[in-house]
Amino acid sequence: MRVNIVFPADVGKSDYIGIWERFMGLFAPFSKKEASMEVRTLYLTETGDLPCEVSAEGQVDCIGIQKDLSSGTLSKYLSGYLVEHPAELCIFAPTMEGKILARLCAAANKWEYYGEVVEFAEDEMQIIRKVYSTHKDAIFRIDAGRNVIVPTAGGEKQECNFSAQNVVVNYEKWPEEKEEQGRILKKIPKPAADDISKAKLVFIGGRGLKKKENYVRLKELAKKCGAFCGCTRPVALSGWEDYSNVVGISGNSLTATVCVTFGVSGSAPFLYGMENVGRLIAINTDPDAPVFAAAQDGMIEDCIQMMEEMEKVMFGEN
Amino acid sequence: MEIAVCFKIVPDYEDVIPKDWEDMENIDFTFVKKIFGCYDEAALEAALQMKDALQKAGKSVHLTAVTAGEGVSRLFTALYGAGFDEVVHISDEKIEFCPEETAKRLGQYLQPKKPDLILTGRMTGAGDSGMVPVCLAAGMGYEWITDVTDVSYNVENDRLEVWNQDTQNEICRVLDFPTVCSIGDGKHPYLRLVPLKAQMEARKKKPTKYDYEEEKEYNSSLVRYKECKQATICHMIESEDIKESAVWLMNVISEEVR
């Protein structure tokens, strides 16, 4: 089987190894079957230099691309490259740009696209992908022709060999072209840590808080703990909080190192906003609440009592 | 100027009770309240904001909202009330996990109309592939830009100014018509509230029905649903009483703050 692997230019310098390990985890079923794989790797970089050690056997291409090239223009070059090097599977690194380029290439060439892929099913050419966040995955048949795949960032990983021998790296530069369509007028760096999506410590209140007064109390507690406070969509719909602090698919996606949920059940749209949280600690009275499936630590406790106890700890009453 | 917004009506997954997710054959969403896809709602409002601005500048605008799949009259009424000139409903057929088909249906209706601008949400649900807008743009030969936060029209040079985001920046780009813009974390995430009088007026209007003309069968590659493989293993904090749990939690928080 022929496989093309594409690393777009927005992969962080320290993220290459993790992504390679994720790819190796994805290929595990093929390795088990000892299926032969012909891998071709494409690194797109703004410097034109190889961004990480070569980790796969096979052909490696390192393409220098023009800074600020729009995804539309870049995908035209990339499509040309992928047509020139046909493969049954074309796997993109799960970054923002990776997902955009993957979709553009698939749509332009009428290839099948599968995003949020968790793993390959072992028996046949089938993939398992997320369809309802932590509630449900689904198995899809892979087309016999050409398939574009973007895996989930989290999931099965496997160590890989970073000292592959006999690999030839081909350096190229894709022609610069002056872009009129998509020309950049202004570029403003996103502000750092001034909103909930960038905060490192976040408390989130759900319907389990029962009334607005308790949510206000949670906000106070968060403030004293140096945390940002957000809420679920039903809490905002109840008028307890402004919509700008909603967490989930219809609001903010968090990147917090620690996030504590108070009385949040953990619906699929909510958990979508939690995918990049480092450590999720869930407090809920219902042991079957879906939030526990996504949490690293859980407490089966009443969230209002927990707030009271936390306040006591804070003021030295315990 | 002709502006079209493609949207999808989806179940409010917040209302699905945990037990119902356990059925692996089918998920019954029939009893669940229906809403606009959250990004689609932002796209609908973005179109209305643009209409307001264009009309202020003396330009005439025709705003169409188009959906393929499930239709809900309450939501169609809300769109007429909010200021859409036409709401189009393409068949009632439920199309899941086949974005090319949805794009084809939308494209067949939109192609002869040749809208200057098509707005969509960047995706409709948590596991949605986000492929419909891309396939629609490819099928119609339009440019496509995603993760758009705001769209405005520059009257002086007759071009679009589109703000979108990448991982580190907010970027303002100049684009020519025609273009498909997929709205992400839009500046206005919710559809405006409609005054009662406008709501009463809107109730008289019905959506235009459009029947898709090609063969109705399509192949989805979905084999079956399966339980999620739990990526994380939840460690339950067991303590003698809630005080002990609170002390543990405050220690974790203190460490993080440090």
Side-chain angles (χ1 to χ4, degrees):
Chain A
M1 183 171 52
R2 291 165 302 177
V3 181
N4 285 333
I5 289 178
V6 180
F7 283 88
D10 68 338
V11 176
K13 209 166 169 50
S14 56
D15 297 335
Y16 283 95
I17 294 174
I19 294 174
W20 264 117
E21 287 176 345
R22 175 74 185 103
F23 285 158
M24 290 301 123
L26 204 64
F27 295 147
F30 300 114
S31 311
K32 263 189 209 165
K33 280 190 205 168
E34 294 180 1
S36 82
M37 286 172 77
E38 198 182 302
V39 179
R40 188 176 194 106
T41 310
L42 171 66
Y43 292 106
L44 297 170
T45 70
E46 285 179 359
T47 58
D49 301 325
L50 199 64
C52 74
E53 281 184 77
V54 175
S55 56
E57 289 179 29
Q59 180 65 46
V60 175
D61 292 314
C62 183
I63 313 275
I65 55 162
Q66 185 192 316
K67 200 173 186 309
D68 291 334
L69 202 64
S70 71
S71 306
T73 307
L74 185 54
S75 75
K76 281 169 198 155
Y77 286 112
L78 187 55
S79 274
Y81 173 93
L82 295 173
V83 168
E84 204 181 310
H85 305 291
E88 286 76 31
L89 297 178
C90 181
I91 304 185
F92 282 72
T95 63
M96 205 168 172
E97 183 73 1
K99 290 173 192 174
I100 294 170
L101 289 174
R103 288 186 196 133
L104 280 163
C105 291
N109 297 291
K110 296 198 163 58
W111 298 333
E112 291 295 324
Y113 170 84
Y114 302 96
E116 296 284 301
V117 172
V118 181
E119 60 186 348
F120 283 96
E122 278 188 43
D123 45 355
E124 287 168 67
M125 275 296 274
Q126 293 180 339
I127 52 121
I128 299 166
R129 61 172 288 249
K130 281 186 173 294
V131 289
Y132 295 114
S133 195
T134 52
H135 290 297
K136 236 169 214 186
D137 289 345
I139 302 175
F140 290 87
R141 241 184 355 262
I142 294 185
D143 195 76
R146 307 204 36 189
N147 303 282
V148 176
I149 284 172
V150 183
T152 51
E156 200 76 32
K157 289 189 177 182
Q158 245 180 42
E159 266 186 53
C160 56
N161 175 17
F162 282 90
S163 57
Q165 301 293 312
N166 305 321
V167 173
V168 181
V169 183
N170 171 41
Y171 290 92
E172 241 182 84
K173 202 164 175 143
W174 278 346
E176 294 192 4
E177 64 170 51
K178 212 171 178 189
E179 277 191 299
E180 187 46 34
Q181 172 73 344
R183 181 168 56 89
I184 293 177
L185 274 187
K186 288 172 219 157
K187 198 170 180 179
I188 305 169
K190 283 185 185 170
D194 68 338
D195 64 40
I196 194 166
S197 62
K198 319 254 174 19
K200 292 294 158 211
L201 178 63
V202 178
F203 289 180
I204 300 173
R207 263 192 294 211
L209 287 170
K210 295 188 179 112
K211 53 184 179 178
K212 189 176 179 177
E213 288 73 18
N214 291 330
Y215 181 73
V216 174
R217 195 169 165 186
L218 178 69
K219 276 182 97 169
E220 282 299 312
L221 181 64
K223 206 173 164 186
K224 284 171 189 155
C225 292
F228 266 72
C229 191
C231 67
T232 59
R233 193 163 159 266
V235 164
L237 284 170
S238 308
W240 302 354
E241 175 61 290
D242 188 77
Y243 282 106
S244 62
N245 280 337
V246 170
V247 174
I249 192 166
S250 57
N252 296 280
S253 291
L254 304 188
T255 52
T257 340
V258 175
C259 176
V260 189
T261 63
F262 294 78
V264 172
S265 64
S267 67
F270 169 76
L271 292 173
Y272 187 82
M274 306 298 288
E275 283 179 352
N276 297 318
V277 166
R279 185 179 186 181
L280 173 60
I281 304 169
I283 305 164
N284 200 301
T285 46
D286 177 8
D288 296 323
V291 70
F292 290 122
Q296 280 73 24
D297 299 290
M299 289 184 213
I300 301 161
E301 301 282 6
D302 180 90
C303 59
I304 301 162
Q305 272 184 43
M306 180 58 80
M307 279 197 310
E308 284 166 11
E309 292 302 326
M310 286 169 78
E311 284 163 354
K312 286 181 191 168
V313 175
M314 184 155 254
F315 297 112
E317 289 174 38
N318 270 350
Chain B
M1 184 185 291
E2 184 73 41
I3 302 174
V5 186
C6 300
F7 68 99
K8 187 177 178 184
I9 293 171
V10 295
D12 186 349
Y13 298 123
E14 302 263 9
D15 280 0
V16 182
I17 53 172
K19 202 171 164 29
D20 283 346
W21 288 109
E22 288 167 16
D23 185 351
M24 288 301 142
E25 294 303 312
N26 194 23
I27 317 166
D28 183 12
F29 292 129
T30 47
F31 65 95
V32 181
K33 186 181 79 196
K34 304 296 184 296
I35 54 173
F36 295 116
C38 60
Y39 295 112
D40 292 345
E41 187 169 352
L44 290 161
E45 182 57 31
L48 290 164
Q49 298 279 343
M50 215 169 154
K51 183 182 178 183
D52 293 345
L54 283 163
Q55 282 181 336
K56 227 177 183 178
K59 285 253 173 191
S60 77
V61 194
H62 187 263
L63 217 56
T64 312
V66 191
T67 189
E70 189 166 10
V72 175
S73 53
R74 167 179 57 87
L75 298 177
F76 293 148
T77 304
L79 293 177
Y80 276 124
F84 277 84
D85 300 298
E86 192 176 10
V87 179
V88 180
H89 182 205
I90 306 172
S91 75
D92 249 324
E93 193 189 4
K94 196 179 167 196
I95 313 161
E96 290 293 344
F97 307 118
C98 211
E100 304 82 9
E101 281 300 319
T102 308
K104 250 195 228 171
R105 283 157 169 74
L106 294 168
Q108 193 183 80
Y109 173 77
L110 290 169
Q111 195 85 58
K113 313 261 172 203
K114 292 188 172 49
D116 302 290
L117 174 66
I118 300 174
L119 297 177
T120 70
R122 94 176 155 89
M123 60 196 284
T124 50
D128 182 46
S129 67
M131 275 301 275
V132 173
V134 204
C135 291
L136 178 66
M140 293 187 67
Y142 282 28
E143 289 290 329
W144 174 67
I145 183 162
T146 189
D147 291 295
V148 170
T149 52
D150 199 14
V151 194
S152 60
Y153 172 66
N154 189 325
V155 188
E156 283 166 26
N157 59 16
D158 191 34
R159 299 184 80 183
L160 272 174
E161 286 183 13
V162 177
W163 282 92
N164 81 328
Q165 353 180 282
D166 63 16
T167 38
Q168 287 160 356
N169 302 292
E170 298 258 6
I171 303 160
C172 180
R173 292 177 188 274
V174 187
L175 294 173
D176 285 324
F177 296 105
T179 294
V180 176
C181 292
S182 296
I183 308 285
D185 295 327
K187 206 169 153 190
H188 307 281
Y190 300 99
L191 192 68
R192 60 191 57 188
L193 291 172
V194 182
L196 193 61
K197 196 178 167 191
Q199 275 183 43
M200 304 292 277
E201 279 298 308
R203 273 184 206 157
K204 293 173 196 160
K205 296 179 184 171
K206 296 280 170 248
T208 309
K209 283 268 178 190
Y210 178 79
D211 284 320
Y212 182 62
E213 284 165 9
E214 283 181 29
E215 53 178 297
K216 299 257 177 180
E217 278 185 21
Y218 67 91
N219 291 321
S220 162
S221 54
L222 174 72
V223 177
R224 65 180 166 85
Y225 293 112
K226 84 180 269 299
E227 259 177 72
C228 287
K229 194 175 178 182
Q230 205 164 320
T232 53
I233 294 160
C234 186
H235 167 237
M236 285 296 177
I237 309 298
E238 282 169 18
S239 50
E240 290 201 346
D241 56 23
I242 193 166
K243 282 179 190 164
E244 207 180 308
S245 299
V247 171
W248 175 86
L249 184 55
M250 288 305 282
N251 283 338
V252 172
I253 291 165
S254 308
E255 273 171 35
E256 176 53 29
V257 172
R258 258 206 303 274

